[in-house]
Amino acid sequence: MTEIKLYNSKTRKKEVFTPIDPANVRMYVCGPTVYDRAHLGNARPVLVFDVLFRLLQQVYGADHVTYVRNFTDVDDKINARAAESGRPISEITAETTQWYLDDMSAIGALEPTHMPRATAYIPQMISMIEGLIEKGHAYSAEGHVLFAVESYKNYGALSGRSVDDMIAGARVEVAPYKRNPMDFVLWKPSSDDLPGWDSPWGRGRPGWHIECSAMSYELLGESFDIHGGGLDLQFPHHENEIAQSCCAHPDGEFAKVWMHNEMLQVEGKKMSKSLGNFFTVRDLLDQGVPGEVIRFVMLSTHYSKPMDWTEKKREEAERTLRKWYAIADKGSGIGNPYVAVIQSLSDDLNTAGAIAECHQLAVADDAPTLRHTLQFLGFMGDEVPNWAKAPEVDLSAYAGQLAALRAKAMETKDFSGVDALKTALLEAGVEVRMSKAGVELQPAAGFDPAKLEALK
């Protein structure tokens, strides 16, 4: 069986992945809060863990991997959006959940095994909170229930911070009912105009952190293999998940392996609305950027490094995929992904290495293997997508003209005419291949027939 190595944020080292139960490999990834469109940064963890999901299915079998990614559909941001728009919360969450599913599908992400919504697990959250109070790890105060951070001696181990450091560096909510500034909310009261559920502490709603702990426990058990998410969630969200889950279920270890993807930049700068470089996945799709191109650019950088989205990378990705699809379209039948690609991904999910191996397959013109490999990586369906199909255009006259100029240049040693025509063809979006066998012209990304007309 293929050996997979993953960097574990908890131990701060790369380790051989050994599942608790190879017949049921379990992974939980924090999903979106559904109040708006998913921005480009939201897509990165989806793609990172989609590739890991595919790898685990390849190694252990599709029926032996359980992948859970949640929807947070009760949250103050959702409440605020409802208040400012005047729309019902249920309408907003239903709409934005579907937007998210549509957009992630467009970039080639498989649907997880389970996609629980927080509001469907409120009784389980209440039960977990009751257990934490009984064990002395939580307390109620003024309609709130708070987790007592000092009751969990390993608090801060994941992020490598002491409680004192966290208090100094974090924007903690100051409240008179807190015993410790770092104590975090498990349950809070709801006014009549906000979503709320009956509980032993009055009508209220759950805190963010308890949601993931309750859902992962119900669907994966008290111990599971991998917990993933963006690096921005490591503290406080993941730190708090560990504390409350390990205290609620002391015989379990919660997640064995923690994986965190780095953040996304745009043209070398942090994505922000103030800089005018903030955009959603849907913005790119509506601008005509194919979902596969978004996927390619994202996976070209290792998940542990900051990912820089640039227009140059987008253009290069589109050119590369057009070329690969043209080659892969010649392959057919049943096959397996390239072994070297599986090996790259097995080394801490080295997607950049996997893409480099695909380049080698394309150079070797190994159509069947390239096709199966691209499909495994989430790039190609049964047919080449319309955007990647070469336009039907007769370039034979230009090929003949270039061949004649080349033959003459071989005698005169003056290649200026060859260079001039080749440059003009390239500027028109034509891929030029010259070899001993002759001249081959192929429409490429950015092909502009109008520029060809000017050559006549």
Side-chain angles (χ1 to χ4, degrees):
M1 182 175 284
T2 303
E3 182 180 83
I4 298 174
K5 292 183 178 179
L6 300 172
Y7 181 83
N8 189 349
S9 300
K10 184 167 69 172
T11 60
R12 294 169 181 75
K13 62 183 179 182
K14 192 191 295 188
E15 302 170 341
V16 174
F17 174 65
T18 306
I20 298 168
D21 177 6
N24 184 18
V25 182
R26 287 159 285 170
M27 177 170 69
Y28 185 93
V29 175
C30 292
T33 300
V34 282
Y35 68 99
D36 207 344
R37 286 280 188 187
H39 61 68
L40 193 58
N42 298 142
R44 193 175 194 198
V46 173
L47 292 180
V48 166
F49 293 104
D50 177 66
V51 174
L52 181 55
F53 182 36
R54 291 167 184 268
L55 176 64
L56 293 172
Q57 287 183 314
Q58 176 72 21
V59 174
Y60 294 98
D63 294 336
H64 301 294
V65 181
T66 303
Y67 173 23
V68 178
R69 188 186 66 219
N70 73 294
F71 285 105
T72 295
D73 60 349
V74 51
D75 184 86
D76 290 343
K77 290 179 180 177
I78 301 172
N79 298 340
R81 181 56 52 89
E84 70 184 29
S85 66
R87 298 176 64 199
I89 287 173
S90 59
E91 187 178 294
I92 292 171
T93 58
E95 178 182 65
T96 50
T97 296
Q98 192 58 52
W99 283 350
Y100 183 86
L101 292 172
D102 292 344
D103 292 349
M104 296 309 107
S105 175
I107 59 175
L110 299 172
E111 286 199 352
T113 317
H114 302 288
M115 294 185 287
R117 303 183 186 204
T119 52
Y121 288 80
I122 300 295
Q124 291 88 339
M125 296 174 202
I126 291 174
S127 177
M128 183 175 281
I129 294 169
E130 287 179 313
L132 288 168
I133 293 175
E134 289 171 8
K135 292 181 175 73
H137 295 292
Y139 58 95
S140 60
E142 298 182 23
H144 295 73
V145 180
L146 296 111
F147 183 87
V149 165
E150 290 180 339
S151 74
Y152 181 60
K153 59 181 176 52
N154 291 326
Y155 192 79
L158 179 68
S159 55
R161 314 180 196 192
S162 69
V163 174
D164 289 341
D165 288 341
M166 287 185 269
I167 292 173
R171 288 177 290 181
V172 296
E173 182 185 356
V174 178
Y177 47 79
K178 283 189 176 185
R179 296 176 184 172
N180 182 309
M182 287 305 297
D183 290 351
F184 57 88
V185 172
L186 301 174
W187 189 264
K188 52 189 169 184
S190 290
S191 55
D192 291 341
D193 60 330
L194 293 175
W197 292 262
D198 291 333
S199 81
W201 319 285
R203 184 177 180 276
R205 59 196 190 278
W208 174 33
H209 313 300
I210 196 69
E211 296 176 9
C212 287
S213 285
M215 288 185 282
S216 63
Y217 173 70
E218 289 298 320
L219 294 168
L220 300 176
E222 61 184 20
S223 299
F224 56 91
D225 297 296
I226 300 168
H227 195 313
L231 188 61
D232 57 326
L233 298 181
Q234 188 179 57
F235 177 82
H237 184 51
H238 290 164
E239 199 75 75
N240 292 350
E241 275 190 76
I242 291 173
Q244 62 202 11
S245 294
C246 289
C247 289
H249 308 290
D251 294 332
E253 60 176 320
F254 196 39
K256 283 184 63 180
V257 178
W258 284 85
M259 295 179 67
H260 294 95
N261 63 274
E262 256 286 2
M263 297 297 98
L264 176 133
Q265 300 174 325
V266 175
E267 301 289 350
K269 297 178 180 178
K270 182 179 178 180
M271 187 170 70
S272 71
K273 291 180 179 177
S274 61
L275 292 175
N277 65 352
F278 179 95
F279 45 90
T280 67
V281 173
R282 181 52 51 179
D283 288 336
L284 288 178
L285 294 171
D286 287 348
Q287 290 166 19
V289 180
E292 300 102 309
V293 170
I294 298 172
R295 185 180 185 91
F296 187 101
V297 174
M298 289 273 193
L299 299 184
S300 296
T301 300
H302 192 270
Y303 77 88
S304 66
K305 294 181 168 40
M307 211 296 296
D308 191 16
W309 175 275
T310 67
E311 183 61 19
K312 181 180 179 183
K313 287 181 180 178
R314 184 203 65 76
E315 291 173 354
E316 290 174 348
E318 188 167 331
R319 275 197 300 272
T320 298
L321 285 174
R322 283 179 187 273
K323 186 187 301 181
W324 287 1
Y325 284 179
I327 296 169
D329 194 38
K330 296 181 290 185
S332 61
I334 299 172
N336 294 306
Y338 189 33
V339 172
V341 167
I342 300 298
Q343 290 173 339
S344 290
L345 296 180
S346 298
D347 183 14
D348 195 28
L349 215 60
N350 184 2
T351 53
I355 286 174
E357 295 294 347
C358 289
H359 278 292
Q360 295 303 313
L361 287 175
V363 170
D365 204 31
D366 186 345
T369 307
L370 180 60
R371 183 185 186 93
H372 299 310
T373 301
L374 289 175
Q375 289 174 337
F376 165 70
L377 291 171
F379 283 113
M380 189 173 179
D382 295 332
E383 297 181 358
V384 175
N386 289 331
W387 69 265
K389 290 179 180 177
E392 294 183 8
V393 57
D394 185 4
L395 298 174
S396 58
Y398 301 102
Q401 185 181 352
L402 188 57
L405 286 171
R406 183 168 176 249
K408 183 178 180 181
M410 296 295 284
E411 297 176 5
T412 64
K413 307 304 178 187
D414 179 6
F415 286 85
S416 58
V418 174
D419 292 340
L421 181 55
K422 183 179 177 181
T423 298
L425 288 168
L426 291 172
E427 289 178 350
V430 177
E431 184 178 329
V432 180
R433 298 178 186 173
M434 292 191 291
S435 65
K436 291 181 180 179
V439 174
E440 182 183 352
L441 303 182
Q442 187 77 31
F447 174 67
D448 186 353
K451 290 184 178 179
L452 282 182
E453 292 296 318
L455 298 179
K456 290 183 177 179

